[in-house]
Amino acid sequence: MLEGRDVAIATVIETWGSSPRQAGSQLVIDNSGNFEGSVSGGCVEAAVIAEAADVIRHGQPAMLEFGVADETAWKVGLSCGGRIKVYVERLG
């Protein structure tokens, strides 16, 4: 808990090729959807924030992997051609 709020922290664990953030980059998300920091950007970061809400609610950590989006327009991916792996865990 941070100032009475439940929080999760997302950390870039690995990167391959071109990626928006380097390994070790972090994003902190609270149970109200407020966040600080960055693990990527755009739709990838939005997906990490949404997953963090589940992690906060259920307490189960998650390992997320994002890469170049395929032909399905709704799939979250990295347009820069790289891949990232992000670990999301609840704090407290």
Side-chain angles (χ1 to χ4, degrees):
M1 277 229 283
L2 180 66
E3 296 178 23
R5 295 176 284 172
D6 293 325
V7 298
I9 188 163
T11 304
V12 176
I13 301 299
E14 292 181 60
T15 65
W16 298 268
S18 179
S19 62
R21 302 285 181 264
Q22 65 186 12
S25 297
Q26 295 184 311
L27 177 68
V28 177
I29 308 96
D30 72 10
N31 57 337
S32 295
N34 300 306
F35 60 93
E36 187 164 327
S38 181
V39 293
S40 182
C43 56
V44 169
E45 206 146 90
V48 171
I49 291 166
E51 184 66 32
D54 287 339
V55 169
I56 291 169
R57 191 170 23 262
H58 303 294
Q60 293 288 356
M63 184 69 73
L64 311 174
E65 193 169 330
F66 301 96
V68 178
D70 62 17
E71 50 285 337
T72 54
W74 57 87
K75 185 173 179 181
V76 174
L78 296 175
S79 59
C80 58
R83 291 189 311 155
I84 62 171
K85 191 179 282 188
V86 179
Y87 182 69
V88 184
E89 62 186 318
R90 182 179 172 160
L91 297 180

